[in-house]
């Protein structure tokens, strides 16, 4: 049965045309795991909040959350559990005792040991020198989380570089300034079949051989995968292999050994603080009632804005330069999870799901696309992320940064009347304001777990499977089948013949 037949859904649909009368009260603040969520600039007056809470009840959000945290196989299309919370639950609840806990603890020990050896200069390359630079090769979930975290947290270890794109320029530009003798490569791939990652790894191996000679260069490679057998069968040999598991989704994997770049750059203590922050958010998600539950409220506001009020976009605007990669990270987390058009049974949905997510750090975005946000013909919803404690020694900068964040939030929401249409700001653009006391590992972990649970809750409200990503497969298959035609070794399909001959005429290859 479609969600649209639920009583709470109908109540919300009936309210939508009068949403402007339902502005939330000033000071609508909720807290959890050290973070604060300010929903004062949302159409979440009590008249809307109550049916949203009722919708969560009718969609069994609490029961589905408990099934997630019990390790049940809630990824129905792939028949597997979704256990990223196990990776950070330690010996404590919510997932203590779930099968797999012992393996998780053992692999965390392996991660700690390897981190200590690399940071301590005991793991060395062929020339016997410690590693000064680490190049993490991976893509999607095997890159975006570590990239974000490495940039967000203090850097106390070797320099980290990330290569994801199959465009050879990405690898070449990264390697150009590096010394092969002191460069370590991490090849991160859950499946160990991803074309981009394996191609980059092979080229990295050739780069090492060209500089260090023909001896095996295994000592310069660490592989991180859920399929160790595929590493053994691969032409790129790794001196060390760390594991993770099938039941960790790629975009939920930074808490596993995929987080090695984070541990190397920020230190193992910071990595464990990050896990603790996420664990605190897991407990909050499990225990807090709807009206005080950050992930549930953020999710409900998002569904209300997107599905009932028809806002097509979600702008994520971190007012923290070290969170510059947060929009890119969330594009995968939200859009790969909830960019779906069918329900759990595969039936076409008759309502809108995940919005188009985009963003840039404030204040940069203000001088670019905020014009569209303030005065465009469509309304987007906004999530602003603010950090209370300055992130630099330049206090004056921080005060100005905070003033800009609040100014944008008010301008989006309150607008300003002007009889001159060009100067009129309609306002009424909703904002969720998320505040971290500090950009430390604990609160960073809590922030990411907040988003994971937001995405989960939205998936339940929309009745979709947030844990597969079948939409990315067609392009991979087509690219494989077109490779020979692009090389000129096979006849192209008819519809591409003219284009490919024009391409060749331009000497592009
Ligand atoms: O193509 C999508 C995807 O499967 C993502 O879900 C995943 O994070 C990424 O590719 C990388 O996959 P892997 O870790 O197996 O290389």
């Amino acid at each position: 049965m479609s969600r649209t037949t639920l009583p709470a859904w109908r109540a919300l649909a009936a309210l939508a045309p009068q949403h402007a009368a339902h502005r939330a009260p000033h000071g609508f603040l909720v807290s959890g795991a050290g973070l604060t969520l300010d929903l004062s600039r949302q159409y979440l007056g009590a008249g809307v909040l109550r049916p949203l809470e009722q919708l969560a009840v009718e969609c069994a959000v609490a029961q589905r959350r408990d099934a997630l945290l019990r390790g049940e196989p809630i990824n129905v299309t792939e028949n597997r559990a979704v256990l990223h919370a196990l990776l950070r639950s330690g010996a404590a609840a919510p997932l203590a005792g779930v099968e797999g806990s012992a393996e998780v603890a053992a692999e965390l020990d392996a991660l700690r040991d390897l981190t200590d050896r690399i940071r301590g200069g005991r793991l060395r390359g062929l020339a016997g020198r410690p590693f000064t630079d680490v190049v993490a090769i991976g893509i999607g979930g095997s890159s975006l989380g570590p990239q974000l975290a490495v940039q967000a947290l203090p850097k106390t270890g070797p320099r980290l570089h990330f290569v994801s794109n199959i465009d050879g320029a990405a690898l070449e530009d990264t390697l150009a300034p590096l010394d092969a003798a002191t460069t370590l490569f991490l090849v991160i791939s859950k499946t160990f079949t991803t074309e981009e990652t394996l191609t980059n790894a092979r080229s990295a191996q050739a780069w090492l051989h060209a500089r260090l000679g023909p001896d095996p260069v295994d000592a310069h490679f660490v592989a991180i995968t859920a399929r160790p057998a595929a590493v053994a069968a691969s032409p790129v040999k790794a001196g060390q292999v760390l594991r993770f598991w099938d039941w960790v989704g790629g975009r939920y994997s930074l808490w596993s050994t995929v987080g090695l770049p984070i541990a190397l750059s920020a230190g193992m203590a910071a990595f464990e603080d990050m896990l603790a922050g996420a664990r605190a958010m897991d407990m909050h998600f499990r225990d807090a009632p709807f009206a005080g539950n950050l992930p549930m409220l953020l999710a409900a506001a998002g569904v209300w804005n997107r599905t009932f009020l028809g806002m097509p976009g979600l702008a994520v605007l971190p007012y923290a330069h070290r969170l510059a990669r947060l929009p890119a990270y969330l594009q995968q987390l939200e859009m790969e999870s909830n960019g779906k058009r069918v329900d759990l049974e595969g039936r076409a949905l008759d309502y809108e799901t995940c919005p188009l997510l985009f963003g840039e750090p404030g204040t940069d975005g203000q001088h670019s696309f905020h014009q569209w946000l303030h005065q465009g013909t469509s309304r987007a919803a906004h999530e602003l992320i603010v950090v209370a404690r300055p992130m630099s020694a330049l206090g004056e900068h921080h005060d100005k940064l905070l003033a800009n964040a609040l100014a944008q939030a008010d301008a989006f929401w309150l607008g300003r009347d002007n009889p001159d249409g060009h100067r009129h700001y309609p306002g009424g653009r909703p904002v969720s304001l998320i505040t971290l006391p500090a950009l430390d590992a604990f609160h960073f972990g809590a922030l990411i777990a907040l988003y994971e649970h937001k995405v989960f809750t939205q998936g339940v409200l929309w009745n979709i499977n947030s844990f597969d990503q079948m939409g990315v497969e067609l392009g991979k298959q087509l690219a494989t089948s077109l490779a020979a035609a692009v090389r000129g070794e096979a006849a192209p399909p008819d519809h591409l013949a003219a284009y490919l001959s024009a391409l060749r005429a331009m000497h592009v290859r």
Side-chain angles (χ1 to χ4, degrees):
M1 222 174 25
S2 169
R3 289 289 198 236
T4 57
T5 62
L6 294 173
W9 190 286
R10 290 189 179 167
L12 288 163
L15 270 170
Q18 315 127 41
H19 66 275
H22 291 274
R23 292 190 167 219
H26 294 308
F28 182 1
L29 301 179
V30 284
S31 301
L35 308 188
T36 298
L37 174 63
D38 181 350
L39 293 167
S40 315
R41 299 173 190 83
Q42 290 282 352
Y43 296 105
L44 290 180
V48 172
L49 204 57
R50 250 179 269 115
L52 278 173
E53 179 168 7
Q54 189 53 30
L55 183 66
V57 171
E58 290 172 15
C59 296
V61 166
Q63 289 84 341
R64 302 271 299 150
R65 171 202 59 201
D66 295 344
L68 167 87
L69 295 178
R70 272 198 305 269
E72 290 179 20
I74 61 164
N75 177 356
V76 287
T77 55
E78 297 172 326
N79 191 29
R80 55 186 183 218
V82 177
L83 278 173
H84 45 275
L86 181 63
L87 298 166
R88 59 216 186 198
S89 76
L95 278 160
V98 166
E99 205 183 327
S101 318
E103 287 174 74
V104 168
E107 212 54 37
L108 190 64
D109 285 343
L111 176 72
R112 187 179 298 109
D113 175 62
L114 185 58
T115 300
D116 288 349
R117 282 190 293 137
I118 297 171
R119 282 172 59 98
R122 294 194 301 285
L123 191 85
R124 295 179 173 217
L126 267 189
R129 291 166 58 194
F131 296 113
T132 57
D133 292 87
V134 177
V135 180
I137 297 176
I139 196 163
S142 294
S143 180
L144 290 164
Q147 274 186 51
L148 167 64
V150 164
Q151 204 177 83
L153 302 178
K155 297 165 188 56
T156 59
R159 285 181 293 269
L160 260 293
H161 313 267
F162 292 88
V163 175
S164 51
N165 203 322
I166 200 155
D167 183 344
L171 185 70
E172 268 179 10
D173 291 354
T174 303
L175 298 185
L178 302 186
D179 178 351
T182 57
T183 299
L184 176 69
F185 291 92
L186 314 180
V187 184
I188 308 177
S189 176
K190 179 176 169 182
T191 55
F192 231 76
T193 57
T194 303
E195 194 63 44
E196 290 92 334
T197 301
L198 298 186
T199 304
N200 278 321
R202 278 195 299 273
S203 297
Q205 189 180 38
W207 180 83
L208 285 171
H209 280 306
R211 285 156 185 80
L212 302 178
D215 287 348
V217 288
D218 315 14
H220 289 252
F221 280 95
V222 175
I224 299 171
T225 186
R227 294 182 59 232
V231 181
S234 143
V236 179
K237 301 292 172 226
Q240 308 272 329
V241 180
L242 292 179
R243 299 181 55 205
F244 63 113
W245 303 272
D246 217 27
W247 42 256
V248 187
R251 53 192 174 274
Y252 301 87
S253 64
L254 80 161
W255 321 101
S256 72
T257 50
V258 169
L260 178 62
I262 309 168
L264 289 177
S265 174
M268 196 63 199
F271 186 75
E272 294 192 69
D273 279 352
M274 184 184 91
L275 299 185
R279 178 161 67 238
M281 185 56 74
D282 294 341
M283 307 292 223
H284 169 81
F285 181 51
R286 186 194 61 178
D287 297 335
F290 178 88
N293 192 303
L294 267 69
M296 289 192 193
L297 288 170
L298 195 60
V303 169
W304 173 235
N305 290 330
R306 172 63 181 132
T307 307
F308 294 91
L309 306 187
M311 296 178 198
L314 173 62
V316 174
L317 309 170
Y319 277 76
H321 203 77
R322 290 186 185 145
L323 293 176
R325 294 295 283 160
L326 185 67
Y329 172 79
L330 292 179
Q331 278 174 335
Q332 187 195 19
L333 184 65
E334 298 216 4
M335 294 165 83
E336 201 175 62
S337 297
N338 286 340
K340 311 277 166 71
R341 53 176 291 285
V342 296
D343 70 10
L344 284 174
E345 277 77 41
R347 293 173 303 219
L349 297 170
D350 51 354
Y351 46 84
E352 298 286 353
T353 62
C354 188
L356 170 65
L357 190 155
F358 61 101
E360 280 288 324
T363 58
D364 288 348
Q366 293 176 199
H367 300 270
S368 160
F369 57 84
H370 281 223
Q371 167 64 38
W372 186 97
L373 297 175
H374 288 294
Q375 290 188 319
T377 49
S378 289
R379 274 188 302 174
H382 308 80
E383 289 174 2
L384 270 60
I385 296 95
V386 157
V387 181
R389 196 177 303 157
M391 290 150 285
S392 78
L394 308 172
E396 182 204 354
H397 289 238
H398 192 64
D399 293 342
K400 290 183 178 175
L401 182 68
L402 290 181
N404 270 281
L406 292 174
Q408 290 296 314
D410 277 352
F412 288 138
W413 183 239
L414 300 174
R416 179 160 295 175
D417 282 336
N418 194 306
D420 173 357
H422 299 287
R423 293 182 170 77
H424 175 69
Y425 296 83
R429 277 112 164 105
V431 178
S432 297
L433 179 62
I434 300 167
T435 306
L436 283 64
L439 188 53
D440 54 21
F442 181 91
H443 295 102
F444 173 79
L447 176 71
I448 300 308
L450 163 64
Y451 271 102
E452 288 180 345
H453 294 319
K454 170 201 170 186
V455 167
F456 170 78
T457 304
Q458 291 192 326
V460 176
L461 294 174
W462 283 321
N463 199 26
I464 57 187
N465 181 11
S466 303
F467 300 105
D468 62 13
Q469 58 283 327
M470 315 244 174
V472 303
E473 293 306 322
L474 175 61
K476 290 184 194 173
Q477 288 162 17
L478 291 176
T480 305
S481 65
L482 286 173
V486 170
R487 284 195 304 269
E489 293 166 11
D494 284 352
H495 70 285
L496 289 181
Y499 178 77
L500 280 175
S501 71
L503 194 67
R504 244 170 254 122
M506 287 189 274
H507 299 281
V508 170
R509 52 172 319 279

